[in-house]
């Protein structure tokens, strides 16, 4: 007995019903990914993502809901989660818990390619939760609370990594402390934004990233759409203080542009991140071009190729390691349900 | 393409269709939990629970179905299961497999608070599957088969932990053997109940809980609703025999009362468990008060505060360890979809 | 607020809508499994399988979709995946990624019993992904790409295990390389089929299955339905080359027959696999009988008993170990939603 969920476009009037609802949607992708420096250069990738979204409204007009994803990659044995949030919103704004957006990442850049070649990650290396990845610092930086308030064209956001054992344990064992704020001004088809993040990693002096123990990051964002052309850019500047008080800095910037002709969209991205010698990190650079073709009905085929100069898959290089320049490419189909 | 599931209240006549169906519902919570003895006293907690329920009917009128939950806590990486059962029912009664109710826990007490402060756990320490928790005995006690038969106001239940390697391996390695029976009599807005559980943990003499290797537990339950007031109480008495044949005992009792005024419900709970010295366990005590406010549309806000005197989070203390008195509190929103 | 998914038989016209859709269905089973050689001979088994299927169509008429299962066995803590695929099809045929069918397993035999006693596994020991199981070779053989083209009564298939680090690492560390092809001809109520598989396990000389490092397998299949009787048979012949170049061989065959009277189906299966001494494996044999009764509404009750002569649960015996003859039985209910 197969069940079919009713598409929102079906003429079933549920909008007038006050009851909270769960909707099920999904995404499936299949294709090839290439990395010139991989043990095996070309790999197959397929992924199915079942998305559950809940939404409801209280008698007093407060909106509430959740979003969660159940992911299976390459027919792996386990069902994994990605980005689960619980939220409520009303006249006071919107409050979210879980895998929330970091407020200083006001408007990240789009990535290049099909599954994504991480061209944008170099430009975003100093904002959001990407400053130190888990592999190097052993500490997550993802925020778990976000408050956003929109009034007319202006949107304010605050977010933080709260109540996750930071400051209650010895340095090294204690989790990172992190806060961020952002503001975005939209006009016509464009926007400008300003972000600020403050992080205290509570690292040990022996940590390979001890030079960046405390960080203040200011970022600016701008973007606009001119007919078939869409452009977005960002710049960020970080000031670091090491475990022993030594100061250093870094900046990062990037640009993404795309042009759409009927079903075809071509895009390019460029990103650069410069680190002071004292940070112990290499400079990073990425450039890529991609194309996507909309097949209709929720299906598209897309691909991209990029040259990325960094150490590690997440583009977070430690200067102690040699530079690495990778050629990355991907190509595949994306189906949305 | 988002899909929206039709709420049961929508005017779509599926009741008359004989086909087996899967329904999707859910619950999301977000809030704060506090424990005076925690490494970090206050923590954020958010949880999304997707519930799948199947139900159908054979040509001969046998009902059947399943219940399962897919849970994501604090945006964790994995999707976890809680309480999956498969059941069938008919004139013969109802037979359930999986995460079934233990028959001697005829009517457990409600907990206090939002996510729950485990005030009821002290009163329930001797019934159901709570006698020895996994941490101490290394053995689960959850039953996996339940048979329930209801006739008029009387409901009988039998349950057991069957076919999970108990008795087939050496003591210590063998799993616990456990059976329970219960009967409940309902009248007007009230009920009385009687439960009996028999457990053989097949422990080694060196086990820290060897004094309670075999247990017989008798429990009584009563509850009633008087207009806006709801009261429930339970008492249980356990007789233990140690690995070497030494006898001891314990008793536990508790009370839960709540008062509802329109959308607001206030509640209190008190629990006490007394262990003979020979059991090697400390006496336990818990008291808490809570409040819940129904926001309508499936949303509520609730919280509680409790003082709990026990060792360990599950209120299962070993007398060898010092007493621990904790203050616990929680507060948050609950959304049902 | 419970949501009920609309059964396909409900009078909601979604067929005419071009949008991609996700459907949710499921299966739940509960019963007993017996193995004469088990540490605990009789065990309870219950399993809930939530199935998600996506399907859609591009503007150009290309079909696409996915299939995935979320499984919970015996109320285990985790939600597991089984057999996730992403596919697309059109005039060119059907291309699948993920947990695809191996092309040489043109028409496997049905198993005997309720949850399945693996009687068919002996006959299928040389085809598909069953030649070396993970336990012995440490290497998976499951294919991840399948291309199938059907024209009139003839269906061609090609499949492979692609881009999973085979050939890029040292022998032993490198994954298996595997390809297969199959063709099936259907007529009236019957079919004949031919399959070919080629595998290179890239084993070390010290591997216990080093004698079967490279394998070529030819298989033939036939089946037909005569009124209430359904018969299927298969034969396969394998040529092995060891790590050091020593040649050996094996063959395997099996038969499955069933007879249906109204709601009752009785079935029998026989399987045999013969290995050359040089392969280091024991011969294997299995015989079983079973019965299934359709209760209507998606429910059935079924069971079987079999005698299986092999080493290991997957019927993949190493000759260095003693022979093992097991009696297996199972009995339980199956509910489809």
């Amino acid at each position: 007995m197969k069940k079919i969920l009713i598409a929102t476009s079906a003429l079933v009037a549920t909008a007038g019903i006050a009851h909270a609802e769960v909707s099920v949607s999904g995404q499936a992708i299949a294709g090839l990914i290439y990395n010139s420096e991989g043990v095996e250069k070309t790999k197959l990738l397929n992924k199915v993502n079942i998305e559950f979204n809940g939404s409801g409204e209280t008698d007093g007009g407060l909106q509430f809901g959740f979003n969660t994803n159940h992911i299976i990659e390459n027919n792996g044995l386990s069902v994994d989660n990605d980005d689960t949030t619980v939220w409520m919103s009303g006249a006071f704004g919107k409050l979210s818990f879980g895998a929330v957006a970091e407020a200083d990442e006001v408007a990240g850049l789009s990535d290049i390619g099909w599954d994504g070649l991480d061209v944008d990650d170099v430009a975003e290396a100093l904002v959001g939760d990407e400053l130190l990845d888990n592999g190097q610092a052993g500490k997550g930086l993802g925020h778990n609370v976000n408050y956003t308030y929109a009034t007319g064209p202006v949107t304010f956001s605050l977010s933080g990594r709260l109540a996750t054992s930071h400051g209650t344990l010895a340095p090294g064992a204690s989790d990172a402390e992190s806060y961020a704020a952002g503001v975005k001004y939209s006009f016509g088809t464009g926007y400008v934004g300003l972000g600020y993040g403050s992080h205290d990693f509570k690292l040990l002096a022996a940590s390979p990233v001890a030079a960046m123990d405390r960080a203040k990051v200011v970022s600016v964002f701008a973007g606009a759409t001119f007919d078939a052309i869409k452009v977005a850019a960002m710049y960020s500047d970080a000031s670091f203080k090491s475990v022993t008080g030594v100061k250093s800095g870094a900046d990062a910037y990037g640009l993404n542009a795309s042009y759409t002709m009927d079903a075809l969209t071509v895009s390019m991205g460029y990103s650069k991140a410069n680190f002071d010698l004292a940070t112990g990190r290499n400079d990073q650079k990425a450039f890529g071009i991609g194309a996507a073709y909309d097949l209709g009905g929720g299906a598209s085929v897309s691909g991209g190729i990029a040259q990325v100069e960094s150490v590690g898959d997440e583009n977070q290089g430690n200067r102690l390691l040699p530079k690495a320049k990778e050629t990355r490419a991907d190509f595949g189909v994306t189906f949305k349900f």
Side-chain angles (χ1 to χ4, degrees), chain A residues 19-23 53-57 64-66 87:
Chain A
H19 293 151
E21 290 177 327
V22 178
S23 71
N53 294 288
S55 63
E57 188 176 322
F64 60 85
F66 70 84
W87 57 268

Side-chain angles (χ1 to χ4, degrees), chain A residues 279-331:
Chain A
T279 63
R281 290 212 163 186
N282 287 324
D283 291 350
Q284 298 169 22
K285 198 157 63 175
F287 176 72
I289 54 171
Y293 191 86
D294 185 350
L295 298 167
S300 63
V301 55
S302 54
I305 183 163
Q307 189 162 285
V308 181
E309 192 175 335
S310 72
V311 176
D313 196 40
E314 289 295 297
N315 302 333
Q316 303 289 349
N318 185 315
R319 201 180 275 273
L320 304 177
L321 296 170
K323 282 195 175 193
K325 192 184 281 192
E326 296 177 356
T327 299
R328 301 175 185 175
D330 63 8
F331 177 79

Side-chain angles (χ1 to χ4, degrees), chain A residues 38-55:
Chain A
V39 172
E40 183 167 40
K41 289 184 172 55
T42 305
K43 287 190 200 174
L44 274 173
L45 175 68
N46 60 76
K47 222 185 298 192
V48 170
N49 184 348
I50 308 288
E51 299 165 30
F52 299 92
N53 294 288
S55 63

Side-chain angles (χ1 to χ4, degrees), chain A residues 245-270:
Chain A
V246 178
K247 290 181 179 183
S248 62
D251 65 359
Y253 53 90
L255 177 80
N256 184 286
S258 65
Y259 178 72
T260 300
M261 299 160 285
D262 299 322
L264 178 70
T265 298
V266 291
S267 55
M268 62 78 66
Y270 175 77

